[in-house]
Amino acid sequence: MQTGMRNRIINNKYQNSTFKLSNFPLIRLAILFIIHYSLFTNLSAQTTANKAFKKEKTSAGNEARMAKEEYIQKYKDDAIKDMLRTKVPASITLGQAMLESDNGNSKLAKNANNHFGIKCHNGWTGATYNMDDDAKNECFRKYKTVLDSYDDHSDFLRNRTHYAFLFELKSTDYKGWAEGLKKAGYATSPTYAKDLIKIIEDNKLYEMDKLLKMPEKEAEVAEKENPKKIEPPAIPAKTSSNPPKTPAITDKSSNVPIKKNEPISSKGAPVLLNNEVKYIVASKGETFYKIAKENNVNVGELYTYNDLGKDAILSPGQMVYLQPKRNSACVQYHIVKAGETMYSISQEFGIKLKMLYKKNLMNLGTEPVVGQRLWLKANKKEGEK
């Protein structure tokens, strides 16, 4: 009796044990399924979120990025203006800007209008922008406009002696300029000249180098083709008083009264007056020798009058004085603008270059900074701003 009962108990335990073991794989599979489903759902949601983030980031980046065609259209006039002022080919200026600013998309271009990566260097007193480059937190020049960046870049080339040989090249010799920049140590990249030439040729930037003046805008062309009718001014009623006469400047060599910037000679280029000093504006094809011969001036004196060496190159639009400039100007002072140099200011106001340096207590060869007050009539006093 006891034995039979014991056997039934053992059988029951065995059956219970067999039931549990037989169901365990199913339970384990169910648990694994739940875990995998949860992981798959989370991973799928995360992948979708990542794709959306990447798409949003790419879309935002595309909206902010400037295409090279847009960059050319936006800044080509600035490059031409700069070429007419400094004789640096517009193709070189615009091509370098495209290469060095990544078509205006670089951090430095966006945040500082610096399209050439020019660092502060000694003597820079303008605004600055700091960022990591060759070293940590380096100082770069910051400009108000992109044109200011273009002007400063050209002046940077024009005022450093190791780039002087470039200005002896023709303005249309963009290949010579590109290779010359590399030769002078402008860039460390061994392919810099090749890369610059490719940009110029791919985008036909060399066509700008042929211009002698700013191209007309579409609106100006339309105005010429369809000029607006201008009504003739009404004739004023006669009065008993005489109108005041326009003051005249006297040409002391001939005692002929003339107005400023009115021609006083019909031979060759018109002779004008500035600060009571005769000058002409050079046109295309003229030389110092030709100007000297037409105006009965010794060619050596012509170089001296204009503070130039005998190797100077004459450019269209350049002021050429036919008499010695004066020791002072007609105005008290001048506030320096972007792109101006001591030489350009001395020519503009008809004052000898050495006297301009002397009046402002500056060393020969140094250049003023934007916003600086240059004294033109009286001498600057010690400590005076």
Short mmCIF file of all heavy atoms in Angstrom, two decimals, residues 202-232:
data_model
loop_
_atom_site.label_atom_id
_atom_site.label_comp_id
_atom_site.label_asym_id
_atom_site.label_seq_id
_atom_site.Cartn_x
_atom_site.Cartn_y
_atom_site.Cartn_z
N ASP A 202 38.13 78.17 -66.58
CA ASP A 202 36.84 77.48 -66.55
C ASP A 202 35.67 78.47 -66.54
O ASP A 202 34.60 78.19 -67.07
CB ASP A 202 36.74 76.57 -65.32
CG ASP A 202 37.60 75.32 -65.47
OD1 ASP A 202 38.12 75.09 -66.58
OD2 ASP A 202 37.75 74.58 -64.48
N ASN A 203 35.89 79.63 -65.90
CA ASN A 203 34.81 80.61 -65.75
C ASN A 203 35.00 81.85 -66.64
O ASN A 203 34.26 82.82 -66.51
CB ASN A 203 34.71 81.04 -64.28
CG ASN A 203 34.38 79.88 -63.36
OD1 ASN A 203 33.24 79.46 -63.27
ND2 ASN A 203 35.40 79.36 -62.69
N LYS A 204 36.03 81.79 -67.53
CA LYS A 204 36.31 82.88 -68.47
C LYS A 204 36.46 84.24 -67.77
O LYS A 204 36.01 85.27 -68.25
CB LYS A 204 35.21 82.97 -69.53
CG LYS A 204 35.10 81.71 -70.39
CD LYS A 204 34.03 81.85 -71.46
CE LYS A 204 33.94 80.59 -72.33
NZ LYS A 204 32.90 80.70 -73.37
N LEU A 205 37.11 84.21 -66.62
CA LEU A 205 37.32 85.45 -65.87
C LEU A 205 38.27 86.40 -66.58
O LEU A 205 38.28 87.60 -66.32
CB LEU A 205 37.86 85.13 -64.46
CG LEU A 205 37.02 84.21 -63.58
CD1 LEU A 205 37.66 84.07 -62.20
CD2 LEU A 205 35.60 84.71 -63.45
N TYR A 206 39.10 85.86 -67.49
CA TYR A 206 40.08 86.67 -68.21
C TYR A 206 39.42 87.75 -69.07
O TYR A 206 40.07 88.73 -69.44
CB TYR A 206 40.97 85.78 -69.08
CG TYR A 206 40.21 84.80 -69.93
CD1 TYR A 206 39.55 85.18 -71.09
CD2 TYR A 206 40.14 83.45 -69.56
CE1 TYR A 206 38.85 84.28 -71.87
CE2 TYR A 206 39.43 82.53 -70.33
CZ TYR A 206 38.79 82.95 -71.47
OH TYR A 206 38.08 82.05 -72.23
N GLU A 207 38.14 87.58 -69.37
CA GLU A 207 37.46 88.58 -70.19
C GLU A 207 37.35 89.92 -69.47
O GLU A 207 37.29 90.98 -70.10
CB GLU A 207 36.06 88.07 -70.57
CG GLU A 207 36.10 86.88 -71.53
CD GLU A 207 34.72 86.38 -71.90
OE1 GLU A 207 33.73 86.86 -71.28
OE2 GLU A 207 34.61 85.51 -72.78
N MET A 208 37.34 89.90 -68.14
CA MET A 208 37.26 91.15 -67.38
C MET A 208 38.54 91.97 -67.49
O MET A 208 38.50 93.20 -67.36
CB MET A 208 36.98 90.85 -65.89
CG MET A 208 35.68 90.14 -65.62
SD MET A 208 35.37 89.97 -63.84
CE MET A 208 36.75 88.92 -63.36
N ASP A 209 39.66 91.31 -67.72
CA ASP A 209 40.96 92.00 -67.74
C ASP A 209 41.09 92.96 -68.91
O ASP A 209 41.98 93.81 -68.91
CB ASP A 209 42.10 90.97 -67.78
CG ASP A 209 42.09 90.06 -66.57
OD1 ASP A 209 41.53 90.46 -65.53
OD2 ASP A 209 42.64 88.95 -66.66
N LYS A 210 40.23 92.83 -69.91
CA LYS A 210 40.31 93.68 -71.10
C LYS A 210 39.58 95.01 -70.91
O LYS A 210 39.72 95.91 -71.74
CB LYS A 210 39.71 92.95 -72.30
CG LYS A 210 40.37 91.60 -72.61
CD LYS A 210 39.60 90.84 -73.68
CE LYS A 210 40.17 89.46 -73.90
NZ LYS A 210 39.39 88.68 -74.90
N LEU A 211 38.81 95.13 -69.82
CA LEU A 211 38.00 96.32 -69.62
C LEU A 211 38.85 97.52 -69.20
O LEU A 211 39.77 97.39 -68.40
CB LEU A 211 36.93 96.05 -68.55
CG LEU A 211 35.90 94.97 -68.88
CD1 LEU A 211 35.02 94.69 -67.68
CD2 LEU A 211 35.06 95.39 -70.07
N LEU A 212 38.51 98.69 -69.74
CA LEU A 212 39.20 99.93 -69.38
C LEU A 212 38.31 100.83 -68.54
O LEU A 212 38.75 101.88 -68.05
CB LEU A 212 39.63 100.68 -70.65
CG LEU A 212 40.61 99.92 -71.55
CD1 LEU A 212 40.92 100.74 -72.80
CD2 LEU A 212 41.91 99.60 -70.80
N LYS A 213 37.06 100.43 -68.38
CA LYS A 213 36.14 101.17 -67.51
C LYS A 213 35.07 100.20 -67.03
O LYS A 213 34.95 99.08 -67.54
CB LYS A 213 35.49 102.34 -68.27
CG LYS A 213 34.64 101.91 -69.45
CD LYS A 213 34.00 103.12 -70.13
CE LYS A 213 33.10 102.68 -71.29
NZ LYS A 213 32.42 103.83 -71.93
N MET A 214 34.29 100.64 -66.06
CA MET A 214 33.24 99.78 -65.53
C MET A 214 32.19 99.50 -66.61
O MET A 214 31.79 100.41 -67.34
CB MET A 214 32.57 100.44 -64.33
CG MET A 214 33.43 100.49 -63.08
SD MET A 214 33.91 98.84 -62.50
CE MET A 214 32.31 98.13 -62.13
N PRO A 215 31.76 98.24 -66.74
CA PRO A 215 30.73 97.93 -67.74
C PRO A 215 29.41 98.57 -67.37
O PRO A 215 29.10 98.76 -66.19
CB PRO A 215 30.63 96.39 -67.67
CG PRO A 215 31.13 96.04 -66.31
CD PRO A 215 32.18 97.05 -65.97
N GLU A 216 28.65 98.94 -68.38
CA GLU A 216 27.36 99.57 -68.14
C GLU A 216 26.36 98.54 -67.64
O GLU A 216 26.34 97.40 -68.08
CB GLU A 216 26.85 100.23 -69.42
CG GLU A 216 27.68 101.41 -69.89
CD GLU A 216 27.11 102.05 -71.14
OE1 GLU A 216 26.34 101.36 -71.85
OE2 GLU A 216 27.43 103.21 -71.40
N LYS A 217 25.50 98.98 -66.73
CA LYS A 217 24.45 98.12 -66.22
C LYS A 217 23.32 98.04 -67.26
O LYS A 217 23.20 98.89 -68.13
CB LYS A 217 23.88 98.68 -64.91
CG LYS A 217 24.93 98.87 -63.82
CD LYS A 217 25.44 97.55 -63.32
CE LYS A 217 26.40 97.75 -62.15
NZ LYS A 217 26.97 96.48 -61.69
N GLU A 218 22.50 97.00 -67.14
CA GLU A 218 21.39 96.84 -68.07
C GLU A 218 20.46 98.04 -68.03
O GLU A 218 19.92 98.47 -69.05
CB GLU A 218 20.61 95.56 -67.73
CG GLU A 218 21.40 94.28 -68.01
CD GLU A 218 20.59 93.05 -67.69
OE1 GLU A 218 19.42 93.20 -67.33
OE2 GLU A 218 21.14 91.94 -67.80
N ALA A 219 20.25 98.60 -66.83
CA ALA A 219 19.37 99.76 -66.69
C ALA A 219 19.92 100.96 -67.44
O ALA A 219 19.19 101.74 -68.04
CB ALA A 219 19.17 100.09 -65.21
N GLU A 220 21.28 101.12 -67.39
CA GLU A 220 21.91 102.25 -68.07
C GLU A 220 21.80 102.09 -69.58
O GLU A 220 21.57 103.05 -70.31
CB GLU A 220 23.37 102.35 -67.64
CG GLU A 220 23.55 102.69 -66.17
CD GLU A 220 25.00 102.60 -65.74
OE1 GLU A 220 25.83 102.14 -66.55
OE2 GLU A 220 25.32 103.00 -64.61
N VAL A 221 21.96 100.85 -70.06
CA VAL A 221 21.84 100.60 -71.50
C VAL A 221 20.41 100.88 -71.96
O VAL A 221 20.18 101.50 -73.00
CB VAL A 221 22.21 99.13 -71.82
CG1 VAL A 221 21.95 98.83 -73.28
CG2 VAL A 221 23.69 98.89 -71.48
N ALA A 222 19.44 100.42 -71.16
CA ALA A 222 18.04 100.65 -71.50
C ALA A 222 17.72 102.14 -71.53
O ALA A 222 16.96 102.62 -72.38
CB ALA A 222 17.14 99.94 -70.50
N GLU A 223 18.31 102.89 -70.60
CA GLU A 223 18.09 104.33 -70.55
C GLU A 223 18.64 105.01 -71.79
O GLU A 223 18.04 105.94 -72.33
CB GLU A 223 18.74 104.90 -69.28
CG GLU A 223 18.66 106.42 -69.15
CD GLU A 223 17.24 106.93 -68.97
OE1 GLU A 223 16.37 106.16 -68.55
OE2 GLU A 223 17.01 108.12 -69.29
N LYS A 224 19.79 104.51 -72.29
CA LYS A 224 20.38 105.11 -73.49
C LYS A 224 19.54 104.80 -74.73
O LYS A 224 19.38 105.63 -75.61
CB LYS A 224 21.82 104.59 -73.68
CG LYS A 224 22.82 105.22 -72.74
CD LYS A 224 24.22 104.76 -73.07
CE LYS A 224 25.23 105.46 -72.18
NZ LYS A 224 26.61 105.05 -72.51
N GLU A 225 19.03 103.56 -74.76
CA GLU A 225 18.23 103.17 -75.92
C GLU A 225 16.85 103.83 -75.92
O GLU A 225 16.29 104.13 -76.96
CB GLU A 225 18.07 101.65 -75.94
CG GLU A 225 19.39 100.91 -76.19
CD GLU A 225 19.21 99.42 -76.11
OE1 GLU A 225 18.13 98.97 -75.69
OE2 GLU A 225 20.16 98.69 -76.47
N ASN A 226 16.31 104.05 -74.73
CA ASN A 226 15.00 104.69 -74.61
C ASN A 226 15.09 105.85 -73.61
O ASN A 226 14.61 105.74 -72.48
CB ASN A 226 13.95 103.68 -74.13
CG ASN A 226 13.83 102.51 -75.08
OD1 ASN A 226 13.31 102.66 -76.17
ND2 ASN A 226 14.32 101.35 -74.65
N PRO A 227 15.76 106.90 -73.99
CA PRO A 227 15.94 108.02 -73.05
C PRO A 227 14.62 108.67 -72.68
O PRO A 227 13.70 108.76 -73.49
CB PRO A 227 16.84 108.98 -73.84
CG PRO A 227 16.57 108.65 -75.28
CD PRO A 227 16.31 107.18 -75.32
N LYS A 228 14.56 109.10 -71.42
CA LYS A 228 13.37 109.80 -70.96
C LYS A 228 13.35 111.21 -71.51
O LYS A 228 14.38 111.86 -71.65
CB LYS A 228 13.36 109.84 -69.43
CG LYS A 228 13.25 108.47 -68.78
CD LYS A 228 13.28 108.59 -67.28
CE LYS A 228 13.20 107.22 -66.61
NZ LYS A 228 13.26 107.34 -65.15
N LYS A 229 12.17 111.68 -71.83
CA LYS A 229 12.03 113.04 -72.33
C LYS A 229 12.19 114.02 -71.17
O LYS A 229 11.57 113.87 -70.12
CB LYS A 229 10.66 113.24 -72.98
CG LYS A 229 10.49 112.46 -74.28
CD LYS A 229 9.15 112.75 -74.91
CE LYS A 229 9.00 111.99 -76.23
NZ LYS A 229 7.69 112.28 -76.86
N ILE A 230 13.04 114.97 -71.37
CA ILE A 230 13.30 115.97 -70.33
C ILE A 230 12.75 117.31 -70.80
O ILE A 230 13.11 117.80 -71.86
CB ILE A 230 14.80 116.10 -70.03
CG1 ILE A 230 15.34 114.74 -69.59
CG2 ILE A 230 15.07 117.16 -68.99
CD1 ILE A 230 16.84 114.71 -69.41
N GLU A 231 11.85 117.86 -70.02
CA GLU A 231 11.26 119.14 -70.38
C GLU A 231 12.30 120.24 -70.19
O GLU A 231 13.06 120.23 -69.23
CB GLU A 231 10.04 119.43 -69.49
CG GLU A 231 8.91 118.43 -69.66
CD GLU A 231 8.32 118.48 -71.06
OE1 GLU A 231 8.35 119.57 -71.67
OE2 GLU A 231 7.84 117.45 -71.54
N PRO A 232 12.35 121.20 -71.12
CA PRO A 232 13.30 122.30 -70.96
C PRO A 232 12.96 123.13 -69.74
O PRO A 232 11.78 123.29 -69.40
CB PRO A 232 13.11 123.12 -72.25
CG PRO A 232 11.75 122.75 -72.73
CD PRO A 232 11.52 121.34 -72.32
#
